[in-house]
Amino acid sequence: MSSIDDRIVQVEVHFGVRFPQDYRDFLGTTGSLSQFVPPADDFLVIDALDELIGNNEAGEFQKRFPGAVVIGGDGSRELLAYDFRQDTPPLVTLDVSAEDWSSAIHQAASLSALLEHFPQTGWNWDETNPSPS
């Protein structure tokens, strides 16, 4: 096992989850992302592995959103999080000031699906119409 694999396992143990394979692969190759994504021209941030624990603890996200692991966001108020309350955790956005899961907006069934459709669609802002995954 490589050192990045060891570190991924340490972070998973910290949160008590197992990250989906496509996210583990992303962490081991690309690592992080912070850019405007054309042509949607929405800003997408995916945090580096070494930032995950600190970023999640700083916002006390697990207290407000039990089962959430924040992995990034829009560079502003919207947080991109896995919803580990489900067996196959989807990606959702949560407003930084939200108190609970009621404000979660489905973004994609997986990181691969998000990265595939994000350049065309950008963020989904409408919780009544989940984006296709």
Side-chain angles (χ1 to χ4, degrees):
M1 218 163 50
S2 73
S3 62
I4 187 71
D5 291 334
D6 292 342
R7 186 74 185 115
I8 290 170
V9 169
Q10 289 172 350
V11 173
E12 288 174 331
V13 167
H14 176 85
F15 290 114
V17 300
R18 174 153 172 95
F19 293 131
Q21 190 60 49
D22 62 343
Y23 180 57
R24 296 171 116 253
D25 293 344
F26 176 88
L27 291 170
T29 55
T30 308
S32 65
L33 188 132
S34 181
Q35 67 188 45
F36 276 98
V37 179
D41 278 337
D42 268 351
F43 200 74
L44 175 61
V45 175
I46 300 177
D47 297 326
L49 181 63
D50 291 338
E51 300 172 333
L52 290 180
I53 293 173
N55 288 353
N56 276 270
E57 288 178 349
E60 299 185 328
F61 299 118
Q62 281 70 42
K63 288 182 182 165
R64 288 187 285 155
F65 310 106
V69 176
V70 174
I71 66 161
D74 71 349
S76 183
R77 297 183 54 83
E78 297 299 319
L79 305 167
L80 180 64
Y82 276 108
D83 179 356
F84 281 101
R85 298 175 305 165
Q86 301 181 42
D87 288 339
T88 304
L91 285 163
V92 299
T93 47
L94 302 162
D95 185 280
V96 72
S97 64
E99 293 301 315
D100 59 37
W101 280 106
S102 65
S103 65
I105 300 174
H106 177 86
Q107 297 298 321
S110 67
L111 181 63
S112 298
L114 178 76
L115 294 175
E116 182 179 324
H117 74 69
F118 194 87
Q120 283 71 46
T121 62
W123 294 107
N124 175 27
W125 301 112
D126 181 6
E127 67 273 1
T128 62
N129 185 14
S131 61
S133 336

